[in-house]
Amino acid sequence: MTGMLRIILNASGLYDFGVRPFSDVSDKLLNCLAKGRLPENPQSIISVLFPYKVPVERGNLSRYAAVPDYHEIAGHMLTTAVGALQKAFGDDFEFVWFVDNSPIPEVYAAARCGLGVRGDNGLLINERYGSYCFIGSIVTDLVIPPTSDGEIRECRHCGRCISSCPSGALRAEGGFDRKICLSDISQRKGELSEAEAALLRQGGLVWGCDTCQDVCPLNVDAEDTYIEPFRARANPSVSVSDLTTARDRAYLFRGRGVVERNIRMLGEFGLEDMPSDGNSEL
């Protein structure tokens, strides 16, 4: 069955996946509306990786925001895979995919599925693609043989991500303070406090933060993505003028006003004095 599963997923463009019994994650499910979409009697979970590192020069966006919105790309690939699985195994079984808006603790599930180690920054770190991966999953009531022993493996604990975190959001004693995370601050609506604005300027990106990933020794040789839509439609930077025509970008889900505020705050592209067109809302 594992060989057949691999053929089907590979044909859908999914090459990095692992399988574990659903019971591995059943006691850690997240309470969200998507939880209601789970099969009535889930038996297996297939975790899938979508590497997103692209061979372009760094700009003013974090790496994950430089590629098209992964909800669209990953969703299309998972929809294709689920359709093929349904056709192969029949209507007696149900296959349901999730990405981001998911009851599945994605990093935990992927680690249990043998797709990488869990870093001190809370990210999954894959052997080939480092931590530059989006995670999706397929839950089914079909019993599928596991592809790993289910053991959670951790990173080297070198401490570089913690010591390099610009805002101190990562703690040496463990834990994570989202309130001062630069990535989280860059996505907040409304006016930023002076302290938040100072942290944003320190990070230097108008959306997200890559510091803890850039310093990770397990990311040094991370391979670029093979997913063609990510490669073909990558754009590592954004300006105020770009926002007028921008589409299919993760940074738009908060509204263009948030990104415009950040661009002006950082004085990117000499646009700090450019008047707003009045169509943006924070």
Side-chain angles (χ1 to χ4, degrees):
M1 182 184 292
T2 301
M4 183 178 181
L5 177 66
R6 180 169 295 280
I7 290 173
I8 293 172
L9 294 183
N10 286 179
S12 303
L14 306 177
Y15 299 100
D16 301 279
F17 68 91
V19 183
R20 285 295 301 170
F22 185 78
S23 57
D24 279 6
V25 301
S26 59
D27 63 341
K28 296 184 180 297
L29 296 179
L30 308 177
N31 288 320
C32 63
L33 290 177
K35 190 175 181 179
R37 295 175 47 228
L38 287 168
E40 183 176 348
N41 186 29
Q43 296 294 318
S44 305
I45 179 169
I46 307 169
S47 281
V48 184
L49 299 186
F50 301 87
Y52 63 81
K53 181 171 172 282
V54 289
V56 296
E57 293 184 6
R58 297 303 301 272
N60 64 355
L61 296 168
S62 58
R63 288 187 189 275
Y64 90 87
V67 298
D69 190 348
Y70 75 98
H71 298 86
E72 173 195 334
I73 306 303
H76 176 74
M77 297 171 74
L78 288 168
T79 297
T80 300
V82 162
L85 289 168
Q86 202 74 67
K87 183 176 181 180
F89 292 101
D91 294 335
D92 290 338
F93 300 102
E94 188 176 2
F95 299 88
V96 182
W97 65 264
F98 300 92
V99 62
D100 190 29
N101 180 23
S102 169
I104 306 300
E106 294 175 327
V107 171
Y108 178 81
R112 293 291 300 260
C113 286
L115 294 178
V117 300
R118 189 167 55 181
D120 285 336
N121 55 5
L123 301 176
L124 181 85
I125 309 174
N126 179 259
E127 184 177 5
R128 292 184 62 185
Y129 303 105
S131 58
Y132 307 114
C133 294
F134 302 122
I135 305 174
S137 57
I138 299 173
V139 179
T140 177
D141 48 11
L142 172 68
V143 176
I144 303 175
T147 57
S148 72
D149 59 15
E151 181 181 350
I152 295 283
R153 294 173 172 81
E154 298 186 346
C155 67
R156 303 173 185 174
H157 303 301
C158 68
R160 294 184 188 178
C161 61
I162 295 171
S163 62
S164 299
C165 179
S167 64
L170 295 174
R171 306 295 174 80
E173 65 275 11
F176 168 63
D177 187 351
R178 181 176 296 278
K179 295 189 300 295
I180 59 174
C181 172
L182 286 180
S183 184
D184 192 75
I185 289 172
S186 72
Q187 300 177 39
R188 291 176 190 166
K189 287 191 172 186
E191 296 298 326
L192 298 181
S193 67
E194 290 185 10
E196 291 170 337
L199 287 173
L200 184 70
R201 293 189 181 97
Q202 182 180 356
L205 295 179
V206 301
W207 189 267
C209 178
D210 284 334
T211 301
C212 69
Q213 300 186 79
D214 289 342
V215 301
C216 177
L218 298 181
N219 275 337
V220 171
D221 296 317
E223 297 180 25
D224 293 333
T225 182
Y226 51 81
I227 299 176
E228 186 56 30
F230 287 162
R231 297 175 65 94
R233 293 154 55 192
N235 187 354
S237 293
V238 62
S239 68
V240 170
S241 58
D242 292 333
L243 294 173
T244 304
T245 56
R247 299 289 186 275
D248 69 14
R249 299 289 148 171
Y251 53 77
L252 293 176
F253 89 97
R254 289 288 189 185
R256 55 174 284 195
V258 173
V259 187
E260 182 175 331
R261 175 202 64 198
N262 296 346
I263 292 172
R264 296 177 186 283
M265 192 169 292
L266 293 173
E268 285 288 332
F269 301 103
L271 295 174
E272 62 270 31
D273 297 320
M274 177 183 289
S276 172
D277 59 14
N279 294 322
S280 302
E281 294 184 2
L282 292 180

